[in-house]
Amino acid sequence: MKVKCPTCKKSVEWEGNDFRPFCSERCKTNDLALWAEEKYVVSEEIDEELDVDGLSERIN
Ligand SMILES: [Zn+2]
């Protein structure tokens, strides 16, 4: 079975691949770094939403 590496979109064998679904350790590390950046942005947005919820609870 072949899968596409999420980082570089290269076709990579799934079986026996230590870095699956990535093609290499480099792509795995790159993806985790990108994911960490996205998570940081998302958690900032969630914090704002939590603040709004807290305010509306106090109003009610
Ligand atoms: Zn790759």
Side-chain angles (χ1 to χ4, degrees), residues 4-12 21-28:
K4 267 189 186 171
C5 170
T7 306
C8 69
K9 316 294 184 203
K10 199 170 87 177
S11 231
V12 57
F22 305 95
C23 67
S24 65
E25 186 170 16
R26 192 176 64 90
C27 279
K28 189 180 179 181

Side-chain angles (χ1 to χ4, degrees), residues 14-15 17 30 33 48 51 56 59:
W14 178 266
E15 285 89 4
N17 175 7
N30 279 355
E48 278 180 37
D51 284 347
S56 52
I59 290 163

Side-chain angles (χ1 to χ4, degrees), residues 37-50:
E37 274 178 41
E38 280 173 22
K39 191 183 174 228
Y40 178 71
V41 172
V42 167
S43 63
E44 272 191 335
E45 284 170 11
I46 288 170
D47 283 347
E48 278 180 37
E49 279 175 29
L50 284 175

